[in-house]
Amino acid sequence: MPKVKPDLKIFTVCGEFFPEDFPPSKSEKWSRGEENPLQTEMRLFSSCLRWAFKRLLEGFPRNVIKKLGQEFFGLNSRFVDDARLKAQAVLDSQKELLDKEIEETRKKLGRARKALSFSAKKLARAEKEGADQEKLEKFRLAVKGREKKVARLEKKLCELREHKRNGTVPKVVFGGRKLWRKVCRGKATRTQWRAARKNRLYSRGDTSKRGNPNIKVSFDHEKQDFYLEVTISHLSKQIGADKKGRPKMSRAPKVRGRLWLPEKHRARVLELLSRDAPYSAEIIRRLDGRYIVYLTFELEELPEFNSSPGLIAVDTNPDGLGLANLNKYGFPEPWPEGIKALLEEVFPRSLHKYEGEFRVVFYPQGFLYLRVPELGYASCHRRDYLIGVLTKAVVEVAKACGKPLALEDLSFGKDRLVLGKKLNRLFSNFPFSRLLHAVLRRAVKERVGYKLVSPRHTSTIGLLKYQKRFSIPVHCAAALVIGRRAMGLKEKITREIREFIARIKEKLVSGSPLPGEEKGMSWVRASLSRAEKKLNLHNGLCPTEQASFNSVWRKLKRLALAFQ
C-alpha cells in the first residue's frame, strides 16, 4: 500500500474566534430561529457543500454549480466555489482511498485464506489421529470463525471492486459515520448530529486578494492583537446587473471579533501576513458555542537538510524515543551543556505524578532515551498530548545543537493486522505515524532540516556493532545506525560481528545443541552457512545493497535472536 505523507509545505495554526460586532439585522429569507448571522452563513455553506457533492457525482460542471449554488443558498460566488472545492476534495480522497482499501483488503483476504487453510489442515490431522472431542470442537470453532472472516472479506472486496468498475465511491456520511452510528444506537442526540452537519465555514486563500477575501485576518498594532472579519454574504442584496446580465450585489456586512492565536506562532503568522501571503481559513463551531479557527499558509520552501555540522538521529519505539548526537564524521559526540536543563523546561511537571511515568535517561558519549511507557496504551487524547510533548523535546534538542534530524520511515499498514491478537495489538497501538508526522510538522515550523531513511536492519546492526561498544540500549544503538545511514555511510562487518560468528562455530564444534534443534529444526545451521557466504562480500557493496532485504544482516538477525 502506498504511504500517505503529510503535506509539509503547509503551515497550519489553530486559534479561537470571539465574534463581537454583528450586522444589525437578520435575513428574513435565510435565517432560522434564534441563530445569529454567522451561524446562518455556516449552515448555508454546509448545505451547499453537501449539495455540491451530489451534483459532482451527477457530473455537473463548475459554472453550473456556481450559478445554481448562489441562487439556492444565497452565498456569494466565492463561497459557493469554495464549497465545490471542498466537495471535490472529499470525492478525490474517496477515490484515492478506494484503491488503497482494495489493496489492503486483497492482502488481508490472502492472509485470512492461509490461516483458514492452516486451521483446516489441523482439524483434518486431529480427526485422522482420533483426537478427543473437546479438541476437535475447538478446531471446528476456529475453522468456522475463519470461514466467516474469509466470506466477509470476499464480500467487501467485491463491493469495492464494483465501485471501482462503475466509477463510484462508497457512501459518504457528512457529519461523521462514527457519530451517526452513535445516534442510531442512542448514544448521541440528534441535536449533536445536526450541529455536526452545519458547523463550518471555509474560504480559500488568494494571492491577488492579499490573503483571503471572505475570512480576513488583521493585526491591530495599537492593541497588539489579531482580529478576524467574516463576510456574511447571504445579507448582500442585488442592486442591478452588469453588461453580461450577471447580478450586481451590494457590499456584504461582516462579523468582526478578536482572534486568539498561540504565543509560539504569533510572530510567524504576523510575518506571513505582512508579506500578503495567501491563507485558507476554516471556522468550526463546537457544541459549547466556541468558534475554532484553522489558518493554513503555504510555505515557499522546506528547510534544507545539511549534515555538515552533524545531526540528531531518532529511533521510534512503542515506549519512547532513542536519540543519538552525531558529529560530521558519523560518530557520537557528547551533548552540549544545557541540554538536561532544556529538557526539564520542555517536559511539564504533570508528567511526574508517579515514578516511572516519564524518564529522561542520559548515556555517555551523546545518547539519551526519552521513556514514556504510557505512550503504548494511553487513550486517544492523552496519547496526542504525550506525542506533542515528545515532539517538542526532539525539535528543541535539534535547535539547541544546531543540527538537522534523521528519522526512520516506518510503515505498518492495515494489511498486516491478521497476525494474531498480540501482534495486531502491538501494530495498532504503536502510534508511529502520528509521532513521525508530528515531528516532521514541528521541524518544518521551527525551520529544522530533516531526512527520512529506511529502518531496515537498524536494530540488528545496532545490537551487533554498537550496543556493547558504547554500553547503551539497543534503541540508542539503532538511532546511531539511522544517523549514519542518513549521512550515506557504510555499515561494514567489524570485529564484534566476526567474534559473534566465531562463538556460534565453537558451540557447533563442541557438540552442544543449537537453539531449535531439539525440535527437529535446522534453520540455525542454515542461517549460519548463508551468513558466512555473504560475510566476505558485504564490505565491498554500496550502502543501498548493504541495507537491502536479503543482505547478510537478515541472516545475522536470526542468529542473534536465537542466541540472545
Side-chain angles (χ1 to χ4, degrees):
M1 184 190 76
K3 300 177 184 178
V4 180
K5 297 296 180 186
D7 191 350
L8 296 176
K9 285 192 175 182
I10 288 179
F11 171 63
T12 302
V13 181
C14 178
E16 185 172 357
F17 176 44
F18 300 91
E20 298 169 355
D21 301 330
F22 288 93
S25 61
K26 297 181 180 181
S27 171
E28 296 181 359
K29 180 179 180 181
W30 303 111
S31 294
R32 298 289 183 274
E34 297 181 357
E35 62 183 13
N36 59 48
L38 179 57
Q39 294 173 9
T40 304
E41 190 81 3
M42 298 173 81
R43 176 176 54 80
L44 294 172
F45 180 87
S46 300
S47 300
C48 184
L49 170 62
R50 298 192 296 272
W51 174 84
F53 182 79
K54 291 183 179 180
R55 301 294 81 76
L56 288 172
L57 291 176
E58 296 170 2
F60 277 52
R62 176 192 175 190
N63 56 344
V64 176
I65 292 177
K66 284 184 68 175
K67 184 177 180 180
L68 294 178
Q70 294 178 68
E71 180 182 343
F72 292 161
F73 301 99
L75 302 172
N76 61 26
S77 62
R78 193 170 188 87
F79 268 139
V80 174
D81 203 28
D82 291 340
R84 183 197 62 83
L85 286 173
K86 289 282 281 186
Q88 186 67 57
V90 173
L91 185 59
D92 293 342
S93 66
Q94 289 296 312
K95 290 181 178 179
E96 183 181 352
L97 288 173
L98 182 61
D99 294 333
K100 295 176 183 178
E101 194 69 23
I102 289 174
E103 183 66 18
E104 285 180 353
T105 307
R106 187 184 62 79
K107 290 182 179 179
K108 290 175 75 172
L109 180 59
R111 292 175 185 265
R113 283 172 175 165
K114 285 183 180 179
L116 174 60
S117 175
F118 179 73
S119 296
K121 288 179 181 178
K122 285 183 72 175
L123 176 60
R125 192 183 307 118
E127 290 176 342
K128 187 177 180 180
E129 294 174 355
D132 58 350
Q133 195 63 28
E134 185 180 352
K135 193 172 184 179
L136 288 174
E137 190 63 30
K138 182 179 178 182
F139 286 157
R140 290 193 186 103
L141 191 62
V143 170
K144 184 179 179 181
R146 290 181 174 176
E147 283 177 346
K148 286 185 177 180
K149 185 172 185 179
V150 168
R152 186 175 69 251
L153 289 173
E154 286 177 344
K155 181 181 177 182
K156 181 179 178 182
L157 186 60
C158 289
E159 291 175 354
L160 293 173
R161 285 176 173 170
E162 187 69 22
H163 282 299
K164 181 70 176 176
R165 282 193 296 270
N166 298 336
T168 57
V169 295
K171 186 176 291 186
V172 176
V173 181
F174 288 93
R177 190 181 298 271
K178 185 176 180 181
L179 180 59
W180 173 244
R181 286 174 179 165
K182 285 185 178 180
V183 172
C184 295
R185 294 169 187 166
K187 296 182 178 179
T189 63
R190 288 189 174 272
T191 303
Q192 293 175 315
W193 170 248
R194 294 191 186 99
R197 287 167 61 85
K198 59 178 183 181
N199 66 342
R200 62 189 61 228
L201 184 65
Y202 170 79
S203 177
R204 72 189 187 278
D206 193 337
T207 307
S208 62
K209 305 291 184 181
R210 300 184 63 183
N212 193 314
N214 280 338
I215 304 178
K216 199 168 189 64
V217 180
S218 59
F219 185 75
D220 191 328
H221 291 277
E222 293 183 2
K223 298 181 179 179
Q224 290 295 303
D225 215 342
F226 288 94
Y227 283 86
L228 189 70
E229 291 183 346
V230 183
T231 301
I232 309 300
S233 61
H234 72 273
L235 292 179
S236 179
K237 298 179 181 179
Q238 184 174 350
I239 56 176
D242 60 8
K243 295 180 180 179
K244 295 183 178 180
R246 295 175 299 189
K248 273 187 176 183
M249 308 298 291
S250 64
R251 184 178 292 275
K254 298 179 183 294
V255 172
R256 189 174 188 271
R258 189 172 63 87
L259 175 65
W260 175 87
L261 294 177
E263 191 66 34
K264 59 184 178 182
H265 296 314
R266 289 170 67 89
R268 188 76 184 278
V269 171
L270 185 58
E271 175 198 345
L272 292 168
L273 291 176
S274 64
R275 293 194 278 111
D276 292 333
Y279 57 90
S280 299
E282 185 169 20
I283 304 174
I284 299 177
R285 185 176 186 269
R286 293 173 35 168
L287 284 174
D288 56 5
R290 296 171 61 189
Y291 293 91
I292 306 301
V293 179
Y294 293 93
L295 302 177
T296 303
F297 296 87
E298 290 188 9
L299 303 179
E300 296 177 355
E301 57 183 13
L302 296 177
E304 183 182 357
F305 177 81
N306 180 18
S307 61
S308 57
L311 53 81
I312 304 297
V314 183
D315 178 62
T316 310
N317 303 286
D319 66 339
L321 301 176
L323 274 68
N325 182 22
L326 278 67
N327 60 18
K328 62 181 179 180
Y329 302 109
F331 297 106
E333 63 178 6
W335 295 105
E337 295 183 4
I339 292 296
K340 190 171 184 178
L342 174 67
L343 289 175
E344 289 178 355
E345 292 178 2
V346 168
F347 288 100
R349 295 180 181 179
S350 60
L351 283 179
H352 300 277
K353 295 191 296 293
Y354 57 87
E355 187 177 358
E357 181 183 15
F358 170 78
R359 289 178 63 192
V360 179
V361 185
F362 281 88
Y363 296 94
Q365 302 186 46
F367 298 95
L368 68 86
Y369 195 77
L370 304 174
R371 187 172 182 272
V372 185
E374 197 181 350
L375 192 65
Y377 57 82
S379 62
C380 178
H381 296 295
R382 175 69 173 173
R383 182 179 293 176
D384 289 342
Y385 168 72
L386 295 174
I387 287 173
V389 173
L390 284 173
T391 298
K392 183 177 181 181
V394 171
V395 177
E396 289 299 323
V397 167
K399 283 179 64 179
C401 296
K403 298 179 180 180
L405 289 168
L407 304 106
E408 51 188 343
D409 195 6
L410 290 170
S411 175
F412 295 107
K414 289 183 181 178
D415 56 285
R416 292 175 180 260
L417 300 182
V418 285
L419 302 175
K421 290 183 179 179
K422 291 185 178 179
L423 286 177
N424 285 354
R425 178 166 293 183
L426 173 64
F427 288 134
S428 297
N429 288 345
F430 185 17
F432 71 96
S433 180
R434 288 187 183 184
L435 192 54
L436 175 64
H437 293 177
V439 172
L440 295 183
R441 283 193 294 267
R442 188 170 184 94
V444 170
K445 289 179 182 179
E446 301 292 342
R447 302 179 185 180
V448 175
Y450 67 90
K451 185 175 183 180
L452 298 175
V453 299
S454 170
R456 187 174 291 153
H457 309 310
T458 52
S459 296
T460 303
I461 300 171
L463 173 69
L464 296 176
K465 288 186 65 174
Y466 301 118
Q467 185 178 15
K468 289 186 178 179
R469 183 188 299 184
F470 296 108
S471 300
I472 54 176
V474 66
H475 302 311
C476 294
L480 176 59
V481 177
I482 291 167
R484 289 174 58 83
R485 186 171 291 178
M487 300 175 79
L489 301 176
K490 290 185 176 182
E491 291 295 348
K492 297 184 177 181
I493 301 298
T494 56
R495 175 175 51 83
E496 294 90 349
I497 299 173
R498 296 190 185 278
E499 289 177 356
F500 172 68
I501 296 294
R503 287 196 300 271
I504 298 177
K505 286 184 177 180
E506 287 179 6
K507 288 192 175 184
L508 191 63
V509 172
S510 64
S512 58
L514 295 177
E517 286 195 326
E518 66 275 4
K519 300 179 182 178
M521 298 168 61
S522 59
W523 59 267
V524 175
R525 294 177 185 271
S527 296
L528 178 61
S529 174
R530 292 168 186 165
E532 284 187 301
K533 291 179 182 178
K534 295 185 176 183
L535 210 60
N536 296 326
L537 302 175
H538 179 80
N539 288 350
L541 301 175
C542 67
T544 306
E545 292 175 334
Q546 286 185 348
S548 64
F549 177 75
N550 288 317
S551 66
V552 68
W553 300 117
R554 184 164 177 251
K555 312 303 176 186
L556 292 174
K557 176 183 178 181
R558 301 194 72 184
L559 294 173
L561 291 174
F563 286 92
Q564 66 178 359

